[in-house]
Amino acid sequence: MTMWRRLKYLLPWHRRAAEADMQDELRSLAAMAEPHELGNLTIAAENARTEWGWTRLEQVAQDVRYACRALRKNPGFAATAVLSLALGIGANTALFTLINTVTWRMLPVAEPEHLLVLSQQDRSSVSSGFTYQQYRSMRDRVDVMDIAAYARVPLNVSINGSTEPTAEGQLVSGNYFPLLGVRPDRGRLFTPDDDRVPMGHPVAVISHGYWKSRFARDPDIVGKHVSLSGVPFTIVGVAPAEFFGVEVGTSPTIFVPVMMQPIVMPVSENLLDRPGLYSTWLRGIGRLKPGTSLAQATARLDVLTQEASWSPPNKLTGQRDDVRMALTSAATGLSDLRRQFSQPLQILFGVVGLVLLIACANTGNLVLARSAARRQEFALRLALGAGRSRLIRQVLVEGVVLAGVAGACGVGLAYWATRALVAYASAGQGAIALDLSPDVRVLAFTAAVSALAGLLFGSVPALRASRLDMTLVGRQDLTAPRQVLSGAGPGRALVISQVALSLVLLIGAGLFVRSLQNLNRRDAGLDRAHVLIVRVEPRGSDQRNAPGALERLDRTYRELLDRVERIPGVQSASLARTAPLAPISFSNRITLASGGDSSVQALMIYPRYIATMGMSVSRGRDFNDDDLRPDSPLVALVNEAFVREILKGQEPLGIRHGLTMTRGNSVQGVPQRQPLTIVGVVKDSRYPNLRDATPPIMYQTFLQTRTGRGQMVLHVRVAGNPGEIARQVRDAVQETDRDVPMFELHSLADEVDAALVRERLIATLSGFFGLVALVLVSVGLYGVMAFTVSRRTAEIGVRVALGATRSHVLWMIGRQTMALVLLGIVVGLPAAWAVGRLASRQVSGMLFEVTPSDPATAIAATIVLVIAGACAGILPARRAVRIDPIVALRND
Amino acid sequence: MDFLQGTLDMLVLRTLLFGPLHGYAIAGAIRSSSREALNIEFGSLYPALKRLELKGWIVAKWETSEHNRRAKVYRLTPAGRRQLRKEQSRWTEFVRAVGRVMKPAPGEAEP
């Protein structure tokens, strides 16, 4: 009962009413009694209030109101402190949001912690997906797991007759949605009944985002149609808003059943029921049935992989590769993004952590400066009977309120910053779709960081308040030297630590910027400003060894090249199997004339590829039309790395080596060889990976390469801007073959940028934050020096009166400024070295041709800091110089 | 004299046993019934009243007395009566125990 009554006193209106009632009662009693008989009524009321409880809470509320009022009365201080803190907190929240989304966030499905991803791995740990037959086999014969499959597929969409931009779609098995346990937002999702008959289920589920953006949340969406590759599909439902499949960073808009594969993937053959075809295009996910362990399920699946019918024999060895099943947790989804960006994100997280510390130090300095002015106020309150703990609490609350306001601004900043970061990272490699809405973890992180920051820089004036002497009340002479020194002490320490932290940041930024410059310089051999590239995939190009496909594709490509080269402004055009910075996934076995076998990466090209790319032939010749006849002898181009490493400097041209045939020509399991002549040597060029040394590469013509894939990338060289002829190139492709889908039309410059996106991200951001740190340090330095000068006005006045010259005064102030900066540098250099050692694994992975302890960078960063410090100290120094001794001494 | 907080509570409850009173009258009643020995500071009495009110042992109401004066009058509740009995027996125990300790030794004068 008592508890109930006590709780009522929490309510502010009840408290107010009780307070009024109490005052009433005390007045009535005073009227009845003799004067002064009742003693001090104020104390009686105060003690009575204590009985109500919750006084501490009320005091904290009072402190918060007081702090807000104080902030409003000091807008300059408030703005500066909130701004620098908001920047620090916002940056940290932004990075944390990204790390959370990419790394930790659970998939928005039912029970994500039990979701598994299946893959098969060969001995060299290359994992791959499954063929349709393999999936069917697993689904039907493994009873200890539920297994579903999906595949990402670009879709040609048209709605009501008008063509839409290529949509990111997914083919999903009938049990995909039930396995994931998602419920539809509208209509229904697929069931196994939607996935039985090949090409017999023209139904689609669209994503919530697609429904919103393309159909304007049409309430009658169920039953409407989309045309995929010309075939109408009925929309049966809308997926829930937060669902995006199982791959973090993707955002499929349309889901169709796996049975519809031949229709929506026109470039491929029918992958569902061609037993001779081996294409591991499906990805597997699954859940264990209750009572099954991971080991049991893996064993059961491995039984399947051991069977002879699981996969065909390896073309080179004639025997089946040994594959094992791997089941890994898919709780946080699969992600290429994670692999690509987790290191840069971690490094950036460290960077913004440093920025936050610097911002806290800055704010601490500001708060200190203010608290010096409030000494009288505190002394007065102490004299009136406030407890020291009450004062300390008030100062801490002020710090927390400031940090809370900054935190709220920081969340807003983070919202904008995360989107900007993702947009920056998406450039050139297709949109990255991430759910960046803050979840509980992020908000808790922000709150914790804000509170910590508030306590950090609130504690400094709090401690000083606790050591106040009450005798200061009424004293005018607050400029005694003793106070001056003690007032500047913590301020100095803060500035020194700021300088040290900034040095670490600047060195880091310098290292990353230099790495990026080094990488950029390395693409000598690629002329990226004038080349347009676009992937083309004519029908059947996925299976070029199908009967008749080879000749048909070759004709199509040559016609395309013909058309494109006639576009005005085009200097040359060619085709290659992969884009310049994409990995070359095909290799040949070469038996050298001098003996010895080698496996070499091989790129399939058309003539004039070398010239189009801006590379050059150093010896011999390029391919020409003579090499493109069906009966031409086998020829190849090689690069200089090939000559160096494989031929070991022997004469490359004219000699017949042996090329191992990889397909169709094995006689009793022994692969046959065909004679191959090298007709030209190409200068090395920095691909497929800008970082590593160029590997040996050989080039072959389209007809002569023994590979099953035939999609090519068109390269077009222009005199001017590649973007200008994009439309004409697209038209030329359409004219050649109306149905050819094109993907990833962009310039080579974009391609390089995309390859370097991580390095660019880190270099840009660490450079930006280095600049921010520099500004913060300068502000902090200026503040401390200005404070020092104002306190030493009398002293300077005396010195000038006694004959000190201007330069002497300048030197006095400047010396102090530089001492602070140098002390900071002395602390910062070893700190930077230590950080480099501690984080060497992450950091060196991102660096290129520089070491973490690169002396040139450290020296440059030091010089920059010294200059910034000097600039910051100029204004206070000038003010010191202009002190008129008469005025200064008169104030004493 | 100093008082333990609990003792003051007991005195107030006892005083109100004989009828409702306002704050000033309670102080006077304790003073007079202790024959001027116990003069309780209002600064201690008033918070004690609030405490007892919070615990539900007394309730207060605004009433108009003779002379047309408004005053807040306190009454004992049934729970307060029970508490008073409890405190009274505790107090008696306490006095008895102290008395045993302070029992005059052989040869010492009677207290």
Side-chain angles (χ1 to χ4, degrees):
Chain A
M1 263 312 357
T2 317
M3 205 61 230
W4 202 240
R5 266 184 280 265
R6 281 212 130 82
L7 280 173
K8 274 208 295 197
Y9 280 94
L10 259 182
L11 305 166
W13 58 86
H14 190 267
R15 244 189 136 82
R16 278 198 290 270
E19 180 74 28
D21 187 83
M22 183 165 75
Q23 295 299 331
D24 248 354
E25 185 179 359
L26 290 173
R27 265 196 297 270
S28 76
L29 289 174
M32 280 189 259
E34 304 293 321
H36 304 301
E37 187 181 350
L38 295 179
N40 189 337
L41 285 177
T42 315
I43 294 196
E46 188 72 28
N47 291 339
R49 247 177 250 123
T50 320
E51 293 299 331
W52 289 341
W54 311 116
T55 40
R56 274 228 183 90
L57 212 62
E58 205 188 46
Q59 284 174 345
V60 171
Q62 270 182 330
D63 289 339
V64 170
R65 276 200 297 272
Y66 187 72
C68 291
R69 224 176 27 235
L71 282 180
R72 264 202 300 276
K73 286 214 301 227
N74 282 290
F77 161 79
T80 318
V82 165
L83 204 66
S84 50
L85 271 182
L87 195 65
I89 296 179
N92 274 281
T93 306
L95 257 310
F96 188 81
T97 310
L98 284 175
I99 295 180
N100 183 40
T101 310
V102 170
T103 317
W104 297 322
R105 213 169 190 165
M106 294 278 200
L107 282 181
V109 300
E111 293 185 30
E113 60 276 6
H114 294 136
L115 195 64
L116 299 167
V117 60
L118 287 79
S119 59
Q120 41 180 343
Q121 290 184 343
D122 65 11
R123 230 164 334 148
S124 54
S125 292
V126 172
S127 21
S128 58
F130 303 95
T131 68
Y132 182 69
Q133 286 73 27
Q134 289 171 341
Y135 161 67
R136 277 276 292 271
S137 190
M138 292 193 299
R139 186 193 68 192
D140 297 339
R141 296 170 56 190
V142 176
D143 48 0
V144 293
M145 268 187 83
D146 291 318
I147 299 178
Y150 72 94
R152 290 172 65 180
V153 55
L155 295 172
N156 293 319
V157 182
S158 57
I159 299 180
N160 294 334
S162 63
T163 317
E164 301 282 312
T166 310
E168 185 188 332
Q170 275 196 6
L171 286 159
V172 299
S173 59
N175 55 358
Y176 176 81
F177 288 115
L179 183 92
L180 290 177
V182 289
R183 339 276 321 284
D185 189 75
R186 283 194 167 249
R188 65 173 186 87
L189 301 173
F190 295 150
T191 65
D193 283 330
D194 293 306
D195 200 32
R196 292 200 193 286
V197 177
M199 295 186 278
H201 302 277
V203 289
V205 168
I206 60 174
S207 75
H208 197 265
Y210 200 57
W211 177 52
K212 219 168 57 160
S213 63
R214 185 60 193 76
F215 294 95
R217 291 173 164 264
D218 183 351
D220 300 318
I221 186 70
V222 176
K224 294 230 161 106
H225 295 275
V226 285
S227 281
L228 304 176
S229 299
V231 175
F233 279 66
T234 314
I235 298 176
V236 295
V238 177
E242 67 281 0
F243 182 71
F244 55 83
V246 297
E247 290 194 15
V248 176
T250 65
S251 179
T253 47
I254 305 180
F255 299 86
V256 291
V258 159
M259 280 291 148
M260 305 306 286
Q261 178 268 336
I263 295 186
V264 300
M265 285 173 76
V267 301
S268 307
E269 300 296 314
N270 185 327
L271 294 172
L272 299 175
D273 58 10
R274 293 285 205 90
L277 231 45
Y278 190 73
S279 171
T280 57
W281 59 290
L282 280 170
R283 294 191 171 183
I285 53 173
R287 287 186 199 272
L288 298 172
K289 290 228 170 89
T292 321
S293 73
L294 200 63
Q296 279 176 312
T298 317
R300 186 82 192 82
L301 285 164
D302 276 332
V303 167
L304 288 180
T305 65
Q306 300 307 315
E307 290 174 7
S309 57
W310 180 257
S311 55
N314 186 321
K315 295 165 234 170
L316 284 177
T317 63
Q319 294 189 322
R320 283 193 56 238
D321 288 326
D322 188 28
V323 289
R324 298 270 152 200
M325 281 295 203
L327 288 110
T328 46
S329 167
T332 51
L334 313 160
S335 185
D336 287 334
L337 269 186
R338 205 173 291 149
R339 234 177 339 109
Q340 216 188 354
F341 284 105
S342 73
Q343 227 180 38
L345 281 178
Q346 283 170 5
I347 293 178
L348 284 174
F349 197 54
V351 166
V352 295
L354 284 178
V355 172
L356 182 64
L357 286 176
I358 295 177
C360 283
N362 226 31
T363 314
N365 252 336
L366 285 170
V367 171
L368 261 182
R370 258 192 82 226
S371 76
R374 293 169 74 193
R375 261 204 290 269
Q376 275 216 320
E377 172 201 336
F378 285 154
L380 195 67
R381 290 182 66 181
L382 277 176
L384 281 177
R388 276 182 205 277
S389 59
R390 183 77 207 277
L391 281 185
I392 293 177
R393 189 170 54 210
Q394 184 210 326
V395 174
L396 281 176
V397 165
E398 282 178 7
V400 171
V401 163
L402 190 61
V405 172
C409 297
V411 167
L413 198 69
Y415 180 86
W416 172 85
T418 39
R419 273 147 191 76
L421 272 175
V422 170
Y424 186 87
S426 315
Q429 65 172 354
I432 299 178
L434 289 174
D435 180 10
L436 294 172
S437 56
D439 69 351
V440 177
R441 227 186 253 124
V442 170
L443 291 174
F445 173 80
T446 310
V449 166
S450 306
L452 212 67
L455 289 174
L456 246 177
F457 61 75
S459 63
V460 181
L463 287 173
R464 303 198 62 233
S466 70
R467 281 189 268 121
L468 269 183
D469 188 351
M470 271 190 268
T471 62
L472 284 178
V473 178
R475 283 245 317 251
Q476 303 290 61
D477 181 21
L478 288 176
T479 60
R482 189 157 294 276
Q483 265 101 39
V484 169
L485 284 181
S486 67
R492 289 222 182 109
L494 280 176
V495 166
I496 292 175
S497 53
Q498 268 187 307
V499 172
L501 289 170
S502 303
L503 187 64
V504 174
L505 245 181
L506 283 174
I507 292 181
L511 288 174
F512 292 128
V513 168
R514 277 190 63 185
S515 292
L516 183 63
Q517 280 179 335
N518 290 342
L519 274 171
N520 261 323
R521 264 205 299 267
R522 260 179 66 105
D523 71 343
L526 284 181
D527 185 357
R528 46 167 138 163
H530 299 286
V531 180
L532 184 75
I533 51 185
V534 52
R535 264 178 46 213
V536 291
E537 299 192 2
R539 169 174 282 281
S541 59
D542 200 47
Q543 290 299 325
R544 47 167 266 163
N545 292 318
L550 201 62
E551 291 74 25
R552 182 168 47 83
L553 287 171
D554 184 50
R555 244 196 332 272
T556 310
Y557 286 140
R558 288 168 78 166
E559 197 187 315
L560 174 63
L561 283 177
D562 213 34
R563 266 189 227 273
V564 171
E565 287 195 319
R566 279 190 263 128
I567 297 175
V570 168
Q571 286 173 345
S572 70
S574 182
L575 290 156
R577 173 78 183 95
T578 51
L581 292 171
I584 299 175
S585 50
F586 179 69
S587 54
N588 272 329
R589 268 208 108 63
I590 280 218
T591 314
L592 301 173
S594 53
D597 247 356
S598 258
S599 185
V600 182
Q601 290 183 12
L603 187 64
M604 188 162 61
I605 62 174
Y606 270 82
R608 286 185 296 289
Y609 175 73
I610 311 293
T612 307
M613 285 288 288
M615 304 195 291
S616 55
V617 175
S618 61
R619 298 190 55 187
R621 62 173 180 83
D622 189 4
F623 292 141
N624 54 36
D625 287 332
D626 282 335
D627 303 312
L628 301 183
R629 290 195 304 268
D631 53 349
S632 310
L634 274 189
V635 289
L637 301 173
V638 296
N639 66 353
E640 290 175 342
F642 182 95
V643 175
R644 271 196 313 269
E645 294 174 33
I646 305 221
L647 291 181
K648 307 239 190 314
Q650 296 164 30
E651 170 59 40
L653 300 179
I655 304 198
R656 301 180 126 212
H657 304 284
L659 179 68
T660 307
M661 301 303 290
T662 55
R663 188 189 164 83
N665 278 18
S666 296
V667 175
Q668 284 176 333
V670 177
Q672 300 300 296
R673 295 206 192 89
Q674 265 211 352
L676 172 78
T677 314
I678 298 177
V679 296
V681 178
V682 178
K683 266 176 91 76
D684 277 346
S685 148
R686 293 289 180 257
Y687 63 83
N689 183 331
L690 284 175
R691 281 180 173 258
D692 304 329
T694 316
I697 301 178
M698 66 183 270
Y699 303 88
Q700 288 185 284
T701 67
F702 182 75
L703 286 175
Q704 293 179 353
T705 312
R706 298 296 174 187
T707 170
R709 306 245 183 247
Q711 303 102 320
M712 301 290 272
V713 179
L714 178 66
H715 298 65
V716 183
R717 187 181 187 77
V718 290
N721 185 342
E724 286 162 3
I725 53 144
R727 195 177 45 83
Q728 287 139 308
V729 167
R730 204 181 266 126
D731 291 341
V733 175
Q734 299 284 21
E735 283 166 38
T736 313
D737 184 349
R738 186 180 308 282
D739 293 324
V740 174
M742 290 171 287
F743 308 103
E744 300 170 15
L745 181 96
H746 53 248
S747 73
L748 191 52
D750 291 338
E751 179 102 357
V752 175
D753 276 349
L756 291 179
V757 65
R758 291 156 71 232
E759 285 81 359
R760 273 171 51 231
L761 201 65
I762 287 206
T764 312
L765 283 180
S766 60
F768 170 70
F769 284 121
L771 233 67
V772 168
L774 216 55
V775 169
L776 287 175
V777 165
S778 305
V779 169
L781 206 54
Y782 167 81
V784 164
M785 289 317 298
F787 182 77
T788 308
V789 165
S790 72
R791 288 302 178 216
R792 290 175 78 177
T793 308
E795 175 198 342
I796 296 174
V798 168
R799 284 178 188 259
V800 171
L802 286 179
T805 58
R806 282 186 57 180
S807 50
H808 180 89
V809 173
L810 264 175
W811 170 242
M812 216 172 65
I813 302 298
R815 188 181 59 197
Q816 236 184 355
T817 316
M818 281 302 118
L820 286 175
V821 173
L822 285 171
L823 267 172
I825 291 177
V826 161
V827 172
L829 278 175
W833 180 84
V835 166
R837 289 296 299 275
L838 280 173
S840 65
R841 200 170 38 92
Q842 281 102 319
V843 170
S844 357
M846 292 301 307
L847 294 179
F848 187 71
E849 289 179 2
V850 285
T851 60
S853 47
D854 182 49
T857 316
I859 292 174
T862 310
I863 292 177
V864 167
L865 256 183
V866 167
I867 292 178
C871 293
I874 282 182
L875 277 163
R878 281 182 47 176
R879 203 186 304 158
V881 160
R882 279 190 263 137
I883 287 177
D884 184 353
I886 301 175
V887 175
L889 292 172
R890 199 190 305 151
N891 276 338
D892 204 4
Chain B
M1 293 183 212
D2 290 336
F3 278 99
L4 297 169
Q5 196 187 69
T7 319
L8 177 56
D9 289 356
M10 187 179 69
L11 290 177
V12 171
L13 290 174
R14 175 76 179 175
T15 310
L16 288 177
L17 186 64
F18 305 113
L21 291 170
H22 59 68
Y24 184 55
I26 294 176
I30 295 181
R31 197 170 46 239
S32 66
S33 51
S34 71
R35 300 199 204 138
E36 311 296 318
L38 300 175
N39 199 351
I40 304 191
E41 292 253 342
F42 185 71
S44 317
L45 178 65
Y46 189 68
L49 287 177
K50 292 296 148 196
R51 193 166 53 240
L52 293 173
E53 200 182 351
L54 207 64
K55 291 212 170 112
W57 297 333
I58 61 179
V59 286
K61 212 168 68 149
W62 280 102
E63 287 175 10
T64 320
S65 70
E66 69 278 4
H67 319 304
N68 256 340
R69 280 220 174 108
R70 272 186 88 232
K72 213 170 183 198
V73 172
Y74 293 88
R75 291 186 160 69
L76 211 54
T77 63
R81 262 175 241 274
R82 283 196 295 275
Q83 182 67 15
L84 176 58
R85 275 198 291 277
K86 220 170 15 187
E87 300 247 359
Q88 203 157 2
S89 66
R90 254 213 303 252
W91 173 256
T92 322
E93 283 293 323
F94 179 64
V95 167
R96 206 174 295 161
V98 171
R100 277 189 227 115
V101 173
M102 300 300 289
K103 202 170 67 175
E108 207 180 341
E110 287 270 352

